[in-house]
Amino acid sequence: MENANDTPLVTLKNLHKRYGKGALVLENIDIEVSGTEFIGLIGPSGCGKSTLLKLIAGLTPITSGELEINGRSPAAARDRMSFIFQDATLLPWLTVHKNIQTTMRLHGVDKRECALVADKMAAVVGLDKVKNFYPRQLSGGMQMRVSIARALSVSPQILLLDEPFGALDEMTRNHLNEELLKIRSMEDWTAFFVTHSVAEAVFLSTQIIILTANPGKIFKKIPVPFPYPRTAETRESAEFQSLVGEVSHHLRSVDR
Ligand SMILES: Nc1ncnc2c1ncn2[C@@H]1O[C@H](COP(=O)(O)OP(=O)(O)O)[C@@H](O)[C@H]1O
Ligand SMILES: [Mg+2]
């Protein structure tokens, strides 16, 4: 997804964040992202990962520095972004098909179009056979798929994911990681993905950003060179394991 001009998709420059009069949460954050990246954010608990996503989403204001999405303020660019949380946050009284539509409805998409897109998205995430099920009838992994379908239904340019698969078992998580990349190869959004799993970050990302805590600062940016498509075999390669080792090593040194 190239921009018409050379404006980066997301720019954070010398960004600082504190909540109210509280302690500094993020200090001097510099990140510049083009439209082709998948950014993995990793760091100790409380280092400001969720805050960073909320800043980009325009859900909380920056304290100082610069933050631009496509040369605009996050608030002005909000319709280009979707958020996926660890909790799938589905409405229990709505079917899968209706749950997928809730974000589109908020965006003012008309009913007929909502239903059509929900059909398409249910198929993309492999839920077409359970479209009329209710959330309680789904596994955790299936609920996350609904959440992904709902987020992607509005064709976001930027997807913000806050530990979306953190509560799932490793096999389900690996599976969803592969599916997420498959969907991205068709839809081409830019991701900011928070995770505690080094292997997950390496598998998904074009670049991993390691943060330190108190206050949150960028410790290291690590490019991930493996070409897409990445598959289960990618995970088993020696290069993959070696990079997982390297990132884990850095993470240990900041997580003390
Ligand atoms: N709404 C808020 N008001 C005040 N402090 C907050 C708020 N949200 C987060 N914090 C504080 O900011 C710091 C970073 O939190 P967070 O971004 O959730 O970290 P992470 O996601 O890396 O665990 C923590 O010290 C947390 O207590
Ligand atoms: Mg968090």
Side-chain angles (χ1 to χ4, degrees):
M1 171 189 341
E2 293 299 321
N3 295 313
N5 47 33
D6 287 336
T7 312
L9 182 58
V10 180
T11 310
L12 295 84
K13 222 180 268 170
N14 192 20
L15 182 147
H16 292 66
K17 171 65 182 177
R18 64 174 87 241
Y19 289 96
K21 294 195 162 60
L24 199 57
V25 173
L26 289 169
E27 181 175 88
N28 194 21
I29 303 293
D30 283 313
I31 300 175
E32 195 176 289
V33 172
S34 76
T36 54
E37 291 221 56
F38 196 118
I39 305 294
L41 293 165
I42 199 159
S45 185
C47 72
K49 302 179 295 295
S50 296
T51 297
L52 197 56
L53 295 194
K54 286 185 210 155
L55 288 165
I56 294 170
L59 297 174
T60 186
I62 67 172
T63 301
S64 67
E66 273 176 48
L67 170 53
E68 284 190 344
I69 315 292
N70 259 332
R72 295 190 293 168
S73 74
R78 200 174 287 168
D79 61 329
R80 308 302 300 128
M81 295 186 263
S82 274
F83 221 124
I84 298 179
F85 302 95
Q86 177 169 344
D87 180 359
T89 61
L90 306 180
L91 299 175
W93 59 87
L94 293 181
T95 61
V96 166
H97 195 243
K98 290 280 187 204
N99 261 293
I100 293 175
Q101 296 176 48
T102 51
T103 302
M104 286 187 280
R105 297 293 293 158
L106 285 175
H107 282 231
V109 179
D110 79 61
K111 267 193 171 149
R112 224 178 58 96
E113 173 77 5
C114 279
L116 286 175
V117 175
D119 278 333
K120 184 187 145 213
M121 290 315 305
V124 166
V125 300
L127 291 177
D128 26 356
K129 293 206 172 68
V130 296
K131 260 190 323 205
N132 297 316
F133 282 33
Y134 288 87
R136 63 170 183 280
Q137 298 172 285
L138 306 177
S139 69
M142 289 160 103
Q143 292 187 15
M144 272 324 295
R145 279 170 217 235
V146 179
S147 174
I148 293 169
R150 181 181 55 193
L152 293 176
S153 67
V154 289
S155 305
Q157 201 169 7
I158 299 171
L159 202 55
L160 304 163
L161 306 104
D162 199 351
E163 301 186 50
F165 308 140
L168 304 176
D169 64 85
E170 192 182 342
M171 269 175 65
T172 305
R173 172 196 291 226
N174 287 349
H175 212 81
L176 283 169
N177 282 174
E178 286 150 34
E179 285 183 4
L180 192 66
L181 290 187
K182 234 182 252 166
I183 295 169
R184 183 164 176 267
S185 73
M186 298 182 274
E187 307 232 326
D188 206 23
W189 25 266
T190 292
F192 288 84
F193 189 107
V194 172
T195 179
H196 278 114
S197 160
V198 174
E200 180 172 62
V202 173
F203 184 76
L204 294 171
S205 308
T206 56
Q207 184 184 167
I208 295 175
I209 298 180
I210 301 178
L211 298 164
T212 64
N214 301 313
K217 279 193 244 178
I218 293 181
F219 176 72
K220 223 173 180 60
K221 296 177 180 171
I222 301 176
V224 182
F226 313 126
Y228 297 92
R230 296 178 187 170
T231 62
E233 286 79 58
T234 310
R235 245 184 233 111
E236 290 156 14
S237 70
E239 295 83 0
F240 182 88
Q241 295 299 336
S242 151
L243 191 52
V244 169
E246 187 189 321
V247 176
S248 303
H249 176 80
H250 289 309
L251 201 55
R252 259 201 319 281
S253 75
V254 300
D255 197 5
R256 278 188 297 224

